[in-house]
Amino acid sequence: MIQEKPEAAWLQAVVTAAVDGIMLIDSGERIQLFNPACEKLFGYSADQVIGEHIRLLLPAWSRDWLNCTVGHVAATAQGRRQDGTIFPMELSIGQTEQDGKPVFVGITRDLTERRRAGQATRDSERNYRLLVEGVTDYAIYMLDLDGRVTSWNSGANRIKQFGADEILGRHFGEFYTEEARQRGDPDHNLGIARRDGRYEANGWRLRKDGSQFWAHVVIEPLKDEYDALIGYAKVTSDNTERRRAEQVIREADDRINALIETVVDGVILIDAKGTIQTFNPACQTLFGYAKEEVIGQNVKMLMPNEYRDEHDGYLGNYHRTGVRKIIGSGREVKGQRKNGSIFPMDLSVGETKQDGEPVFVGIIHDLTERKRIEEQLVQAQKMETVGQLSGGIAHDFNNLLTVIVGNAEFLSEQLKARQDLRNLADDIGRAGERGAELTQRLLAFGRRQTLAPVEIDCNELLDSMHKLLRRTLREDISINADFAPDLRPAFADRAQLESAIINLALNAQDAMVGGGHLSIATSNVSLDDPYHSLHPEVLPGEYVLVAITDNGEGMAKEVLDHVFEPFYTTKEVGKGSGLGLSMVYGFVKQSNGHVSIYSEPGLGTTVRIYLPALSQELEQAPERIPVIEPHATGNEVILIVEDDPHVRSFAVMCLRSLGYVVIAAIDGNDALQKLGSNVAIDVLFTDIVMPGGINGWELAGLAQKQNPDLRVLLTSGYALDTVAGRSRVRDGSVILTKPYRKAELARRLRDVVDGVRAPH
């Protein structure tokens, strides 16, 4: 037993506390010291091994082994635990002497966990190499600090077409295009990886055969445990096909978007909750909303109130049951514009998927114009049917009247001796003649009367009728005439035209109970295709216009809708037959002309008769449409104010075709809002008579207070003297009379812009 020295007490404490196993072996190879760390390592207590031979713990112990081991630091050996298991350990053996005999100090450390971790690391590295080598969709390889290739997987071989023996040791810049190499992209990209810790980009790269492919590239720096840069890892994928597919999809999307943006029908896309996602320009025009105002909003905002609950119920039912009502088909519904107006539309709905969720595409076609034309067609058909019926009745009635009047006349001649009976016969004859007059009017309405059309100088005819009209009308009614000096001859029945004018004058007199002003005007007009689109029954061509205007009580719209119907009258019983205007209508239509009426309560009425004009060369009026002169176009900003949507649409179409920038307003209040915006407006083109409390005169005055340089062009469907008589006309005001042609609008607008004072 080694004798313990007093100064060695502290050594005993160190040995006891050491984490490594420490043992002392005497010259007889017997264990003399066995610290707690050895107990834990070998599984023996100190009492169990003290005095035992060292081979109990170190099976390989021998003198030769000892001689080879002594003096070496951290030699590797094998230990044996109490349970017989062998484990690797690190062993350091030092030699000293005690009492002249050699003793050995062994320090041991268990290598089991270290070896296990090392093996795991080696396994991981092997698996990683196998994984990288097995990846064929990505080129994965390493670069040294200079950018030279140090490893190469099978994916790199496939994508770049280089074998490992061909590329190892060569610079990775060979994969870049010549332009990229000249720009210094390879070194620049390595610099980004060093600076930012990663470089990632898409770009063109080269294969071995010189062909290019679209690559997604990632470069990451490699560092050792001391954070020193040792190289780069590079991953490249070939995205050429993906890029081509994405390009095809983008081009398809662009074509679809272009189609949606340019199609004349509205296209709207909503999700399963009814939220609007797409709202094309046609929808913006149709509903009056800007795209930004509706995207993200529920589609119910575009529906009248009565449709909104139905829409929610339909969506809920569809999500619950999958039952479709209008998907894949279309139906007529109603839409609501931003200004609150309701309009008919045809709605077709289709369903598709977006990100796995259902979305609905609606195609909207405005039916307003079609409905208007249908109403006009129904009205025309009704008038035609009534006319045919009236004509047929009048024809048969004339036969009866012939008998009645003829026999009454015969009786009168035979009853000279009986004056009382003769008077009765005369009464019968006069009644028959009155019936004949009514019949003639029915024939006129039914276009069955016999006409004798001739060339008529309407100015001369109206001038010759002046005295007759003066004697016929009351003294409190003044008559003014405004005849065009270069009026073309008309082609119509002179007597019927005279009768029509007298009828209209008498109707005007009845409307001016307390006296008034009657105007008769003539002019040459050209009714073109745009006018024909508003009035399909009118053929385009040259016409002579005769306008009869009064400033009487005027008529409401519900009366205007029926004024040309036979036997329709607003007069008291016994004071009118209801055939006056219907006779005028029938005569004009039978003469291949057109008649229109403008009226408003409190303002008066204008009836316009359009008769076919004769040219000097032809016996019938040709279809001649004047050509708009180049100087009549422009690029100014025009604000159109017109309450009639059809007239407004026509005016907007005309001016845009002339090159002008057009902004439209529906009334005076709307116009003032647009005038107060940031848009610089050059010309105000406004109707005179409008709803909303602000007429055209007042609007022009307010607008020119805001902008004294603003030019103004006024328009009206009423006679100018009537309009002027009820408003304050500014000196130099330019008024365009409805209906106007595109050429006339262009010329008058150009005059206003250029400061030319045109006659009214």
Side-chain angles (χ1 to χ4, degrees):
M1 186 74 174
I2 300 176
Q3 299 297 317
E4 198 174 293
K5 297 180 180 180
E7 64 270 16
W10 61 273
L11 287 175
Q12 183 65 39
V14 171
V15 169
T16 302
V19 295
D20 288 336
I22 300 175
M23 64 182 74
L24 185 65
I25 305 166
D26 62 15
S27 59
E29 300 179 350
R30 301 287 177 177
I31 300 170
Q32 299 298 318
L33 182 113
F34 199 70
N35 76 337
C38 278
E39 293 179 334
K40 182 177 179 181
L41 179 63
F42 288 95
Y44 290 100
S45 66
D47 295 337
Q48 291 176 302
V49 297
I50 295 296
E52 296 293 333
H53 196 277
I54 188 62
R55 275 196 292 271
L56 176 67
L57 304 178
L58 301 175
W61 181 279
S62 67
R63 281 292 176 181
D64 293 337
W65 178 86
L66 180 64
N67 293 333
C68 294
T69 305
V70 171
H72 290 278
V73 179
T76 302
Q78 288 185 327
R80 179 167 54 196
R81 294 189 176 93
Q82 185 181 15
D83 61 7
T85 59
I86 303 299
F87 66 95
M89 67 179 187
E90 187 178 79
L91 177 64
S92 299
I93 297 179
Q95 181 176 344
T96 185
E97 289 186 357
Q98 184 179 18
D99 300 331
K101 296 181 180 180
V103 293
F104 304 95
V105 178
I107 299 176
T108 65
R109 179 176 299 169
D110 190 357
L111 295 181
T112 303
E113 290 302 321
R114 183 187 300 178
R115 285 194 174 184
R116 184 179 294 116
Q119 185 62 40
T121 300
R122 288 190 296 274
D123 291 344
S124 175
E125 290 175 349
R126 183 186 69 253
N127 293 337
Y128 176 75
R129 285 194 301 270
L130 292 174
L131 174 64
V132 171
E133 181 59 30
V135 172
T136 59
D137 291 336
Y138 295 89
I140 304 174
Y141 53 97
M142 306 297 177
L143 306 176
D144 63 16
L145 293 174
D146 296 327
R148 299 187 181 280
V149 179
T150 60
S151 70
W152 194 251
N153 78 329
S154 59
N157 193 344
R158 184 187 68 83
I159 293 174
K160 297 181 181 290
Q161 300 177 348
F162 285 97
D165 56 337
E166 297 176 290
I167 198 65
L168 291 177
R170 292 165 65 175
H171 197 275
F172 83 112
E174 293 189 27
F175 308 137
Y176 284 76
T177 63
E178 180 63 29
E179 295 82 2
R181 288 196 294 269
Q182 290 179 358
R183 289 195 304 265
D185 286 359
D187 292 336
H188 176 73
N189 296 344
L190 292 180
I192 293 176
R194 288 194 301 272
R195 183 192 67 203
D196 300 338
R198 181 183 178 90
Y199 168 81
E200 184 172 3
N202 294 295
W204 292 107
R205 295 294 186 269
L206 295 177
R207 298 186 180 93
K208 178 182 177 181
D209 62 6
S211 62
Q212 296 186 9
F213 67 97
W214 185 255
H216 177 75
V217 178
V218 176
I219 302 176
E220 291 195 358
L222 299 176
K223 296 183 179 181
D224 62 15
E225 62 269 26
Y226 304 108
D227 202 34
L229 183 67
I230 59 175
Y232 304 91
K234 194 167 185 295
V235 179
T236 302
S237 59
D238 183 356
N239 289 346
T240 306
E241 290 302 319
R242 179 189 298 177
R243 183 174 186 268
R244 185 179 295 113
E246 290 174 350
Q247 181 67 24
V248 170
I249 294 173
R250 280 195 301 271
E251 290 175 354
D253 288 342
D254 290 342
R255 287 193 296 269
I256 293 173
N257 289 332
L259 179 62
I260 291 174
E261 292 295 305
T262 57
V263 70
V264 296
D265 284 337
V267 179
I268 185 170
L269 179 71
I270 65 171
D271 63 16
K273 296 180 180 179
T275 304
I276 299 172
Q277 297 182 345
T278 299
F279 198 71
N280 76 331
C283 272
Q284 298 174 48
T285 301
L286 184 58
F287 288 95
Y289 288 99
K291 178 172 63 176
E292 295 75 17
E293 295 179 276
V294 299
I295 297 297
Q297 302 297 318
N298 195 281
V299 72
K300 292 189 295 184
M301 69 183 293
L302 306 176
M303 303 176 184
N305 290 331
E306 62 267 24
Y307 283 92
R308 296 180 180 180
D309 293 339
E310 179 183 345
H311 172 75
D312 287 342
Y314 165 71
L315 278 182
N317 181 72
Y318 174 73
H319 292 318
R320 288 192 306 271
T321 66
V323 176
R324 300 180 175 187
K325 289 187 176 180
I326 64 171
I327 295 176
S329 62
R331 66 174 179 174
E332 183 177 325
V333 295
K334 292 181 179 179
Q336 180 170 304
R337 296 187 176 93
K338 182 178 180 180
N339 61 13
S341 62
I342 309 297
F343 68 96
M345 64 184 192
D346 183 80
L347 174 64
S348 299
V349 180
E351 182 186 12
T352 185
K353 295 286 186 179
Q354 181 173 292
D355 298 329
E357 296 294 327
V359 292
F360 304 94
V361 180
I363 307 297
I364 300 170
H365 182 72
D366 187 4
L367 297 180
T368 305
E369 183 65 15
R370 193 177 83 183
K371 290 292 185 182
R372 184 187 66 81
I373 294 175
E374 287 177 353
E375 290 174 1
Q376 288 185 342
L377 179 60
V378 169
Q379 179 68 10
Q381 290 174 338
K382 182 176 71 172
M383 296 290 283
E384 182 67 24
T385 301
V386 174
Q388 291 176 355
L389 178 61
S390 300
I393 293 174
H395 179 270
D396 293 338
F397 196 43
N398 268 338
N399 292 334
L400 298 175
L401 288 175
T402 301
V403 177
I404 294 172
V405 174
N407 282 301
E409 185 179 8
F410 176 77
L411 285 174
S412 178
E413 293 176 355
Q414 297 298 318
L415 295 172
K416 292 180 181 179
R418 292 290 303 272
Q419 188 62 39
D420 55 339
L421 296 177
R422 185 177 185 181
N423 290 339
L424 291 175
D426 291 341
D427 287 342
I428 293 172
R430 283 191 292 271
E433 290 172 355
R434 179 170 172 77
E437 292 178 2
L438 293 175
T439 304
Q440 186 63 25
R441 294 185 180 185
L442 284 174
L443 284 172
F445 175 75
R447 308 178 209 176
R448 301 288 185 85
Q449 64 183 343
T450 302
L451 297 180
V454 295
E455 181 179 325
I456 302 175
D457 182 346
C458 291
N459 286 349
E460 180 274 328
L461 181 142
L462 293 169
D463 186 61
S464 67
M465 292 183 65
H466 187 271
K467 290 182 179 180
L468 174 61
L469 291 173
R470 182 65 277 165
R471 291 195 303 268
T472 304
L473 302 179
R474 297 193 309 267
E475 293 182 355
D476 58 357
I477 296 176
S478 62
I479 303 174
N480 281 351
D482 182 14
F483 300 155
D486 56 348
L487 191 68
R488 290 189 293 266
F491 189 70
D493 187 304
R494 183 182 182 93
Q496 290 298 328
L497 178 56
E498 290 176 346
S499 178
I501 292 169
I502 292 174
N503 264 305
L504 295 175
L506 291 174
N507 280 344
Q509 175 180 253
D510 293 338
M512 298 182 287
V513 178
H517 180 77
L518 179 70
S519 297
I520 303 176
T522 63
S523 64
N524 297 313
V525 296
S526 296
L527 302 183
D528 54 9
D529 288 330
Y531 189 86
H532 171 69
S533 67
L534 293 175
H535 304 277
E537 75 279 7
V538 181
L539 294 176
E542 303 297 326
Y543 291 84
V544 175
L545 170 63
V546 178
I548 311 295
T549 301
D550 68 70
N551 62 347
E553 297 175 350
M555 290 177 281
K557 184 180 184 301
E558 55 269 21
V559 176
L560 283 174
D561 291 339
H562 301 283
V563 290
F564 291 127
E565 296 178 5
F567 305 112
Y568 180 82
T569 181
T570 58
K571 300 175 184 177
E572 298 177 11
V573 177
K575 291 190 176 181
S577 65
L579 289 172
L581 286 176
S582 62
M583 183 274 290
V584 173
Y585 177 88
F587 153 66
V588 175
K589 290 297 182 181
Q590 192 173 356
S591 301
N592 296 320
H594 172 57
V595 61
S596 65
I597 184 167
Y598 297 84
S599 187
E600 185 147 336
L603 184 61
T605 302
T606 296
V607 179
R608 286 188 168 88
I609 296 174
Y610 299 86
L611 296 173
L614 283 178
S615 66
Q616 294 180 354
E617 299 85 3
L618 301 176
E619 293 185 357
Q620 282 195 319
E623 289 188 20
R624 293 188 301 158
I625 306 300
V627 177
I628 300 174
E629 298 175 1
H631 69 266
T633 61
N635 57 5
E636 287 79 10
V637 179
I638 312 297
L639 173 60
I640 292 179
V641 190
E642 171 61 61
D643 60 292
D644 187 305
H646 307 302
V647 177
R648 183 172 65 247
S649 176
F650 165 66
V652 169
M653 179 186 66
C654 287
L655 291 180
R656 282 181 176 164
S657 70
L658 293 169
Y660 293 101
V661 178
V662 182
I663 301 173
I666 62 174
D667 56 29
N669 292 314
D670 188 18
L672 288 176
Q673 290 183 1
K674 289 180 169 60
L675 285 165
S677 67
N678 295 327
V679 179
I681 295 173
D682 302 304
V683 179
L684 171 65
F685 178 35
T686 177
D687 193 8
I688 294 176
V689 179
M690 295 183 295
I694 301 177
N695 63 34
W697 301 108
E698 295 167 341
L699 175 62
L702 293 172
Q704 289 184 324
K705 283 184 180 179
Q706 296 180 17
N707 180 10
D709 296 327
L710 181 69
R711 305 298 179 89
V712 177
L713 175 60
L714 302 166
T715 184
S716 178
Y718 300 93
L720 298 184
D721 49 356
T722 299
V723 172
R726 300 218 172 187
S727 308
R728 294 181 179 178
V729 182
R730 295 191 173 196
D731 185 35
S733 297
V734 180
I735 304 175
L736 181 61
T737 304
K738 297 178 181 177
Y740 46 79
R741 290 194 65 261
K742 181 178 179 181
E744 186 178 5
L745 171 60
R747 184 171 59 254
R748 285 296 182 90
L749 185 58
R750 200 66 250 165
D751 290 343
V752 169
V753 172
D754 297 336
V756 178
R757 182 173 179 178
H760 296 342

